[in-house]
Amino acid sequence: MPRLQPGAVLAGRYRMVRVLGVGGMSTVYLADDLKLKGKRWAVKEQRHDARDLGRIKAEAEMLVRLDHVHLPHIVDFFPPDADGCSYLVMDYIEGMTLLEWFERCGRQAPAEQVAAYALQLCELLHYLHEGRREAIVYRDLKPSNVMIDGSGHVKLVDFGIARSYKADSAADTMQIGTIGFAAPEQFKGAQTDARSDLYSLGAMMYFLLSGGQHYYTARKSLRHLKPSLPEALCAAVDKLLREDPAERFQSAREAKRALERWRPGPGGSDPASRAAPAEAAAAPKLIVVGALYAGAGATFTAVALSKALAAGTGGCAVIERSAGEPELFAQLFGEKRAPGGYSFYTDEDGGAGPVWEEDGIAWYPARPDAGERPEWGAERRLRLFYRMKKPFIVADIGTDWLSPEAKELIEEADAALAVFDPLVYKLESPEAALRLSEIRSLREAGKPVHYIANKAVRTGGRSEWLSLMPEPASCVLPAIDFAAVVEACWQGELVHDKPEISRRLAAALRPLTALWLTPNSGGKPIWPRWAGIPRLYGKMVRSRT
């Protein structure tokens, strides 16, 4: 039974709001921070006797030392009190467990989304197994221990039975795990290692992809259970589930490479990635994002939107127009993060190199350096869009609303977003007036256009600022603290990936993402076939006849 009631205060700082979950020996509460107004935390209460003290402290010390995007941060620890209860204070992850997501999908999880989550877990397992001085074996990977936050990032929680790997140990002190997901060696007295976690990853994927069956009872190949699944994906899961650890993938990085080879895109082995153009055209929806003037935040908004859409669908592509001064490659720290052999879609080969993909988002920045760029006409664009294989394509056009190429792209789009910020004097420029006139024409012609207010601050003139647009803003994005932007820059990451900022942006964009997504669609957009591909195809045919 939960020991703390709503309103109870821990250590004079954390006030309990409600119970989030109850386990065998633990309770997790949602708590308000009385010092940092508006901040909320998850507080894990663990009940134990004196013999558990070492294990509880070890878990806390282990978590405090860890730092990864797919792990919650631990901010406080209180050792056992007189009643035998200790408390961990950690990030509150607003979202759902992978098990809850699976149930919401009607127990028919989309294969590409399962693979996307598995790829994120491979990144985390690589960090736990090889990215530290002392490897950590998690030992309890299962859908109920994986959270999905508002940005579509998975977070691994509950390190209660994780252990540090000791190469000179023949067996674990305790053989613990969840039947159905734990590796066979966890119940045979043998030592667990990184390959034990990889088995659990395979068991979890098997469960999600088979409609809820456990491999340890079914004992059938995933391909046998679900013939419609891609053969390469089934082969990867089967290898993860080998009885003998020596026959499994030997590292999370190796498993990740196998899953990446399956996922749709250039070089992928999934037959769907070689589908006919008419089949490929059924899913992608094109959204153009542009600014009314320089500095309003078209690129910032495009990235925020792509992350919100990827969280709901498992996939999104972001493409940057090459006009003006491209900046997406630099903002993404492409020199460090782009895959080896990467080429830009604006190059002569049309971006035929490896796809740059992270957390379900495929990035297509324009080449940042100056120089002559090939024209990005309809046929070239058509080939590129076919290759993307994503439910959504977000195109960042900067301030280029008026060029013939931009107009053609906007004509093909399912929606256009016009971004503005509180620096209202910029609206008085002739260029901004021309863009507003163009946007009004688009609206009159029936094109769905949404105004996005960016960098919103709490000022007395806020309502007057928002009233300057011809229509109310569909979304109002919060101003991001400049210190957080600088800190993210020095850390070589996007400020959008900071959990608190990610949650705020996803919430601000929800009026639009709720229009375009449905929770029961299995990660597919709710609107009908994209008309842009047939229009483009018709233009190409007419131009050749």
Side-chain angles (χ1 to χ4, degrees):
M1 290 291 293
R3 176 171 174 260
L4 301 178
Q5 298 301 315
V9 177
L10 175 66
R13 178 170 181 176
Y14 306 104
R15 182 170 58 201
M16 304 304 121
V17 177
R18 67 176 186 272
V19 173
L20 294 174
V22 179
M25 294 295 291
S26 64
T27 300
V28 180
Y29 305 89
L30 175 64
D32 284 328
D33 193 321
L34 298 180
K35 291 186 178 180
L36 301 175
K37 299 299 182 182
K39 182 66 178 175
R40 288 189 154 183
W41 304 100
V43 177
K44 181 179 180 181
E45 173 189 84
Q46 296 189 92
R47 300 173 293 280
H48 50 83
D49 57 32
R51 291 173 298 177
D52 291 326
L53 181 59
R55 178 177 63 82
I56 298 299
K57 285 186 174 179
E59 178 187 357
E61 292 170 358
M62 177 191 301
L63 286 170
V64 167
R65 293 195 303 268
L66 299 178
D67 183 17
H68 195 274
V69 67
H70 297 308
L71 290 175
H73 288 99
I74 303 299
V75 296
D76 228 334
F77 172 64
F78 301 97
D81 56 20
D83 295 326
C85 291
S86 64
Y87 296 89
L88 274 173
V89 183
M90 65 191 80
D91 284 338
Y92 167 52
I93 303 168
E94 190 173 2
M96 69 184 88
T97 68
L98 197 55
L99 183 59
E100 290 169 332
W101 171 79
F102 176 64
E103 296 294 343
R104 290 192 184 188
C105 290
R107 300 176 74 84
Q108 298 296 321
E112 186 172 352
Q113 183 63 73
V114 172
Y117 289 145
L119 285 169
Q120 292 185 46
L121 289 169
C122 283
E123 293 175 4
L124 174 59
L125 291 176
H126 173 70
Y127 168 75
L128 294 176
H129 298 160
E130 301 179 45
R132 301 167 36 77
R133 182 177 302 174
E134 191 174 58
I136 291 176
V137 186
Y138 180 73
R139 301 200 303 171
D140 202 22
L141 188 58
K142 56 185 178 182
S144 59
N145 278 351
V146 178
M147 292 288 297
I148 307 170
D149 69 13
S151 299
H153 291 134
V154 299
K155 304 279 185 177
L156 194 56
V157 297
D158 197 349
F159 270 65
I161 67 168
R163 63 180 287 270
S164 295
Y165 173 72
K166 296 178 176 60
D168 56 352
S169 176
D172 291 347
T173 305
M174 295 183 293
Q175 290 74 46
I176 306 175
T178 301
I179 293 175
F181 299 103
E185 56 267 25
Q186 289 181 242
F187 303 102
K188 292 181 178 180
Q191 173 166 235
T192 55
D193 60 20
R195 297 169 298 180
S196 306
D197 283 343
L198 295 178
Y199 180 97
S200 296
L201 176 65
M204 188 172 72
M205 294 181 70
Y206 188 98
F207 174 82
L208 297 172
L209 293 168
S210 67
Q213 298 194 53
H214 291 282
Y215 175 71
Y216 89 103
T217 54
R219 290 294 172 183
K220 293 179 180 178
S221 164
L222 187 58
R223 183 69 172 171
H224 180 79
L225 278 180
K226 291 282 186 177
S228 60
L229 289 173
E231 185 174 353
L233 176 63
C234 293
V237 174
D238 287 347
K239 186 165 183 176
L240 287 166
L241 289 170
R242 297 285 173 83
E243 182 87 8
D244 183 352
E247 296 180 359
R248 301 172 198 157
F249 295 113
Q250 297 301 292
S251 69
R253 180 170 287 175
E254 186 182 346
K256 182 184 178 185
R257 283 198 296 266
L259 291 171
E260 286 176 332
R261 282 195 296 271
W262 164 72
R263 295 195 72 199
S269 59
D270 176 18
S273 68
R274 300 187 296 273
E279 297 171 346
K285 307 303 162 192
L286 176 62
I287 302 167
V288 166
V289 180
L292 292 181
Y293 40 81
T299 300
F300 178 90
T301 302
V303 172
L305 178 64
S306 70
K307 288 182 174 291
L309 290 173
T313 65
C316 185
V318 180
I319 186 164
E320 179 187 37
R321 280 271 288 114
S322 60
E325 298 181 2
E327 58 183 18
L328 183 58
F329 186 77
Q331 288 191 13
L332 294 171
F333 300 92
E335 293 289 348
K336 180 176 67 174
R337 293 170 57 175
Y342 177 77
S343 63
F344 295 90
Y345 80 89
T346 48
D347 291 347
E348 289 296 340
D349 65 0
V355 175
W356 179 3
E357 183 162 340
E358 297 173 340
D359 297 332
I361 301 176
W363 300 107
Y364 292 87
R367 178 175 284 281
D369 51 344
E372 194 70 25
R373 301 184 180 99
E375 182 183 355
W376 194 43
E379 184 171 351
R380 186 183 183 92
R381 183 163 64 251
L382 178 63
R383 290 197 302 267
L384 180 62
F385 284 1
Y386 278 154
R387 285 210 310 270
M388 288 181 177
K389 304 294 190 256
K390 295 292 182 183
F392 287 93
I393 300 171
V394 176
D396 173 13
I397 63 170
T399 57
D400 183 25
W401 291 87
L402 302 173
S403 72
E405 187 179 330
K407 286 187 174 183
E408 187 176 60
L409 184 64
I410 295 167
E411 180 189 344
E412 297 155 14
D414 295 277
L417 309 187
V419 183
F420 64 102
D421 71 5
L423 299 181
V424 294
Y425 70 88
K426 292 188 176 183
L427 284 171
E428 299 174 358
S429 68
E431 294 81 4
L434 283 173
R435 291 167 193 139
L436 274 172
S437 176
E438 175 68 17
I439 291 167
R440 289 192 190 96
S441 299
L442 291 171
R443 289 286 292 167
E444 292 168 0
K447 176 67 62 180
V449 176
H450 301 273
Y451 290 96
I452 306 297
N454 189 27
K455 310 176 192 176
V457 293
R458 298 287 178 183
T459 66
R462 178 185 170 104
S463 58
E464 288 80 2
W465 163 53
L466 293 176
S467 69
L468 291 175
M469 291 300 104
E471 297 177 18
S474 297
C475 298
V476 180
L477 305 189
I480 304 302
D481 180 45
F482 187 65
V485 177
V486 173
E487 180 185 5
C489 179
W490 280 103
Q491 292 173 348
E493 62 183 26
L494 284 167
V495 72
H496 303 69
D497 289 329
K498 290 187 173 293
E500 182 62 27
I501 292 172
S502 173
R503 285 192 289 270
R504 292 172 64 197
L505 291 173
L509 287 164
R510 200 160 290 143
L512 281 182
T513 56
L515 282 176
W516 298 334
L517 301 171
T518 175
N520 298 317
S521 66
K524 296 177 182 178
I526 62 174
W527 45 35
R529 261 178 91 87
W530 179 29
I533 290 277
R535 276 202 305 272
L536 270 175
Y537 183 71
K539 289 180 183 178
M540 289 168 57
V541 171
R542 287 193 296 272
S543 68
R544 292 175 178 175
T545 57

